[in-house]
Amino acid sequence: VAIDFHAILPELVLAGTALLVLVVDLFVERAKVVASWLSIAGTLVAGVALATLVGAGTRVSFGGSFVVDNYALLFKGLFLGSLLLVLLMSQRYINAGTAYQGEFYFLVLSSFVGMLLMPSSRDLLMLFLSLEIVSATGFIVAGFRKGDARGNEGALKFLLIGVLSTAVMLFGMSLVYGFTGSLQLGPIAERLAQLGDEPAAVMSVFLVVTGFAFKVSAAPFHFWAPDTYEGSPVPVAAYLSVASKAAGFAGLLQVTFVAFPSYARYWAPAFAVLAAFTMLLGNVIALAQTNMVRLLAYSSVAQAGYMLVPFAVGSSADPAVREEAFQAVLVYLLIYAFTNLGAFAVVTLVSQRQPSNLIADYAGLARRSPALGVAMTAFLFSLAGIPPAAGWYAKFVIFKSAINGDSLTLQLLVVFMAVMTVVALFYYAGVARSLWLGTPPEGAPEPAPQPVSPALGTAIALSAAGVLVLGVLPNLLVQYAPVSTLVAGP
Amino acid sequence: VEWFDDAALTLAVFLPLLGAVAVAVLPRERDGLVRGAALTFSGLALLVGVGMLARFDYGAGAAMQFEVSRSWIPSIGAGYHVGVDGIALPLLVLSLLLSTLCVVYSWRILPEPRNPKAFLALLLLLETGMNGTFVALDLVLFFVFWETVLIPMYFMIAVWGGPRRDYASIKFILYTLIGSVIMLLGFLAIWLRSSPDAAGRTFDILALQEMGAAARFGGTFGTIVFAAVALGFAVKVPVWPLHTWLPDAHTEAPTVGSVLLAGILLKMGTYGFVRIALPVLPDAAREWAPVIGVLGAIAIIYGSLCCLAQRDVKRLIAYSSVGHMGFVMLGIATLTPLGINAAVFGMVAHGVVTGMLFFLAGSMHERYHTRDIVELGGGMATLMPRLAGVFTLACIASLGLPGLAGFWGEILALLAAWNPAAGLSVPLFRTLAAVGLLGTLLTAGYFLWLLQRVNLGRVPDRWSGKPLGDVAPIEVAAWSPLIVLIVALGFAPGLILWLTSPSVTGWFTDLFA
């Protein structure tokens, strides 16, 4: 079978860049920053390679295990965009902190190769492999601050829980294979439908789903997230909270809606409970945080809770309703990615001078640097879901998809989510308030305006523009979500 | 000119937004330029409003005019559909006028920490949200504009507010958000039921009103959805017992914030009832009308009693708003054309009169540095005769003296309650009318008592000899349009009723007959 090289071109470009960065870094003595520029250039080239695949129809290769369709393209675009922002964020941060620049960029790029593979993976082995590429490199970059005890603790937690979840998932996959005799998602769906209510098969489906629930940090599988985010370099926390989570959701969408639709009556109610619990836990604990990164970590747990709501619609009999739920997750991920990366870009900036990342460090930031304040305020209110920032639309489509499901469970879930949005506003608005009004602690002098490096400034400006423009004209981006569905009729 | 008819509403809504962006990018040092830009953009928007008043076809007030319908978010079926009829137009013009006057007032008078650039940018953003709410004819668009006012108002209170601004601002935003997310769920439920097949579902308010008239949303569904939608509106009005955010927000907000909060933001809630809740869910409205009426009557009495107990002038005016909005809600609850005309008139009159009162309370605070009635101690008529004169005028307008703006909204609402729509309990509504009448007496009582304590009497020693300047030129500029309106609307209520009647009759005569 001939390999369709064009289909895997973006992945090839990115993998090649990763290797190139590693080699070049060996031979460069002083100007280590070249690794960063090389990575950015490689990302852009990969973006061009991706663009050549748009509109070229669905490409199937590797015997159906690797598929490039609109769904995959949308996710790949999301990942490359996130990668660009993460690289822009990392430039000064990593420059200042460590000598291992080549290694850092190599690991980040490799992790993103795994992410690019994820939405194209249409069998369990490919899913597993891409998830492991994402995770294994993630473990290392999460512990990149070697001298920091919290960094070590966070990375170790991440590693242990990651390995545990992988083991659970792999066990589930092996059982699924045992029951269906296939690794490919399509045939699995057919065999499971024929199999009917086999309790052990239901259990194996749940094991696979649980593995992904760890990746998206859904409660009660979330507890690694705050410690790991806090211990990681801030750009890594950004990428864990956005790109790695999005990869988890890509996998979750594929296994639930494509491979296991016939068991939706089992997993959909479970997702309702999982979503409610995740929203509750993330939002309530976030209320008590004093550290900015931990606040964003719990907020991202809560956001995962919102994104799990449409999965509860998965058992609907109407394929159009299921399809809308599927799209709602995509739209939410797109908008969330812009918003959260922007917020983390601001955190990166502030942490260059105040590495403690306390919320108190942000007091009066907007007075010193108004543009930065406006951007951060936009990100916070976008996370809260208040127009004109883009987050309202993300929440809107989730509400709409769940109401569409037209069942009592979903209606209760939606009302619960509505209440949770209000709880969330309390801490988001609290930070926003402190940005504009907070005063530095007693006796401390008012700090000078925050210096902004060009790379970080670009990252923040791009995200802020995305958040504000998408808030007014959501259709610019989200019109691509409907063309990218995987949900087939029953 | 045809292009004007097409562009008018879009200009009226988005000129302030453009102004906000312009103010935000202008350098802070160029203070005059910043203020000039804010005044230019809000003034241009007001001019567009005046142009619309001139071009409005008063004979066809029932139909939507200046209507524009464009695709906005086709993936969810939401459109950019805007238009005004005789109900929306007066409110839109009121919003344009009050916003411009607020920009004028802020020219000189701005509380700490000043920063006119940020303040004016927020004010203009707020104006876009308010204007948009009154012209939106699509539920999603309505929701977006409705929510857009939250952030600027939050910051106005949190940054420029009084000593308890932290508490007041977060209470305001949380209270309003819980109401509006529940309201959004109600909108989505309406959308879901608007058609059995996905392709036919719509967020378009006019289409939904037709479906509502055809009793599409009846039964238990209608009852629950009405409750959800009405909750969002009721928090904003605010209807007793959801009013507790209002006294705090009003008291702590800067003058301009209070003016817009009382003048426009509260009306967004009552406007929602008239534009969306009643026409789309008429059967449920009839079921809920007695509840709304009773809550309205309670608000009238409760607001008045609270006013009697206040020492802070601004807090007193805030509670008087609770009472006045009670009359508006009572008018709406009668479900009669007369009641709804009264409600719309009451909204405009309350916006003008209470907006004026908050301006006055702000200016008194500016001079005395206190709003405590006991500390003021009386004698303002001697100290600052002109300010006291305007204050007297605004107070007696607010208490509903015939010949001034406040009278008609209340008396018409009471008359309407005497003869509610068919199917509503006549004894109940007549009782409510009687209660409302008692409320007008209490209202007269506390306002006259306020005037007695503030205006009359000897000048206390602490103020005598102090240089408390009388009405300043900038205040004359900001207030004179309102004073003219207070008198004009009092003598010629037809100015508003002439506009609203055709629309109200067109919409509501058959709906609840």
Side-chain angles (χ1 to χ4, degrees), chain B residues 105 317 352-361 363-364 367 380-381 384-399 404 447 450-451 454-455 470-472 475-484 486-487:
Chain B
Y105 188 81
I317 301 169
V352 172
V353 174
T354 308
M356 187 67 215
L357 279 171
F358 274 118
F359 270 134
L360 286 161
S363 285
M364 282 157 68
R367 290 165 173 76
M380 192 162 83
M384 295 172 278
R386 268 171 300 190
L387 189 66
V390 182
F391 188 57
T392 310
L393 177 80
C395 282
I396 59 174
S398 189
L399 68 81
L404 294 174
F447 266 121
L450 173 71
L451 284 176
V454 173
N455 273 359
D470 211 338
V471 179
E475 290 168 330
V476 174
W479 297 348
S480 40
L482 294 179
I483 296 171
V484 169
I486 288 175
V487 178

Side-chain angles (χ1 to χ4, degrees), chain B residues 427-445:
Chain B
L428 172 71
F429 272 86
R430 291 198 172 167
T431 315
L432 296 181
V435 172
L437 202 60
L438 180 67
T440 58
L441 292 178
L442 286 172
T443 311

Side-chain angles (χ1 to χ4, degrees), chain B residues 214-289:
Chain B
R216 171 75 58 83
F217 312 105
T220 321
F221 172 84
T223 312
I224 295 173
V225 169
F226 187 92
V229 173
L231 182 74
F233 298 146
V235 168
K236 203 84 160 186
V237 171
V239 174
W240 184 90
L242 303 170
H243 67 281
T244 62
W245 62 268
L246 179 131
D248 292 315
H250 269 115
T251 313
E252 300 309 320
T255 302
V256 166
S258 301
V259 169
L260 292 178
L261 201 52
I264 312 295
L265 261 64
L266 307 192
K267 276 80 211 171
M268 287 165 51
T270 40
Y271 177 76
F273 274 103
V274 175
R275 173 64 72 227
I276 296 171
L278 262 50
V280 177
L281 302 157
D283 295 333
R286 189 171 287 136
E287 286 172 36
W288 282 100

Side-chain angles (χ1 to χ4, degrees), chain B residues 26 40 45 107 114 167 213 266 367 425 457:
Chain B
L26 283 171
T40 311
W107 203 273
R114 310 263 177 228
Y167 172 75
L266 307 192
R367 290 165 173 76
S425 157

Side-chain angles (χ1 to χ4, degrees), chain A residues 318 320-321 324 366-367 370 377 381 384-389 392-393 395-397 399-400 403-406 411 414-415 418-419 421-423 425-426 429-430 432-433 436-437 471-475 478-479 482, chain B residues 14 17 28 71-77 113 118 125 140 143-145 147-151 154-155 158-160 165-166 169-170 173-175 177-179 181-182 184-186 188-189 191-193 198 201 203:
Chain A
D318 185 352
V321 171
E324 196 182 323
R367 279 201 311 276
T377 309
F381 281 111
I386 296 186
W392 77 268
Y393 186 74
K395 295 248 161 49
F396 184 91
V397 288
F399 280 136
K400 185 158 167 282
I403 289 223
N404 227 343
D406 214 8
Q411 283 154 8
V414 157
V415 172
V419 175
T421 355
V422 179
V423 174
L425 178 65
F426 188 78
R433 196 198 143 274
W436 293 91
L437 292 167
V472 180
L473 299 169
N475 223 49
V478 302
Q479 58 174 315
Chain B
F14 291 106
L17 184 66
R28 182 192 301 240
S71 148
W72 176 40
I73 321 177
S75 44
I76 55 165
L125 179 60
V140 181
F143 172 76
V144 169
F145 283 128
E147 293 279 87
T148 300
V149 303
L150 285 186
I151 300 175
Y154 170 74
F155 277 113
V159 179
W160 288 270
R165 54 181 183 248
D166 281 3
S169 57
I170 197 78
I173 197 168
L174 290 183
Y175 236 108
L177 187 71
I178 185 79
V181 285
I182 302 286
L184 175 65
L185 298 184
L188 286 169
W191 167 83
L192 183 67
R193 280 298 165 94
R201 288 176 194 155
F203 284 112

Side-chain angles (χ1 to χ4, degrees), chain A residues 59-71:
Chain A
R59 307 178 85 103
V60 182
S61 52
F62 297 100
S65 300
F66 188 91
V67 177
V68 179
D69 52 11
N70 284 329
Y71 166 81

